[in-house]
Amino acid sequence: MLRVDRFFDQLEAMVAELPESKARIVTVTADISQSAQAEMVAERAISKFGNMDIWVNDAGLLPVKAALEVTDEEWQRVIDTNLTGTFYYVGKRCS
């Protein structure tokens, strides 16, 4: 399993919760909303596992506030992660 997060501490915490699986989990710190980083993650998965039979993109953001209080910058980050990040994986590496 390859697990990706923008924050190293969150990756380490996730692995610590699953000590029996630690040998099977590869962690990568990356921002999937960036094309080059998404490409790096896909290449890392292929180099580690040989191929990708299943790809689950569970990255997503949702501001916890009223819609009218969401700033333009926050909304752009949601779109970049939830939509653009998914496109980069599916559109470039899994087709």
Side-chain angles (χ1 to χ4, degrees):
M1 173 192 302
L2 184 95
R3 179 73 178 146
V4 180
D5 200 298
R6 290 184 304 136
F7 305 104
F8 180 77
D9 293 348
Q10 291 179 4
L11 285 169
E12 291 300 305
M14 185 273 306
V15 171
E17 291 177 12
L18 304 168
E20 70 280 355
S21 300
K22 190 171 186 173
R24 296 179 291 149
I25 299 174
V26 175
T27 60
V28 178
T29 304
D31 180 351
I32 68 155
S33 71
Q34 304 299 311
S35 179
Q37 291 186 36
E39 187 76 17
M40 177 270 299
V41 169
E43 289 172 2
R44 177 84 186 267
I46 291 169
S47 71
K48 177 67 179 175
F49 303 112
N51 63 7
M52 291 186 283
D53 295 325
I54 299 171
W55 187 283
V56 176
N57 181 18
D58 65 349
L61 300 175
L62 180 63
V64 183
K65 58 172 75 174
L68 294 176
E69 295 176 7
V70 175
T71 66
D72 290 347
E73 293 80 17
E74 289 169 326
W75 180 245
Q76 190 60 55
R77 185 80 184 139
V78 168
I79 294 300
D80 289 346
T81 300
N82 299 5
L83 184 60
T84 304
T86 299
F87 169 79
Y88 286 151
Y89 282 127
V90 175
K92 291 186 176 191
R93 297 303 279 167
C94 299
S95 57

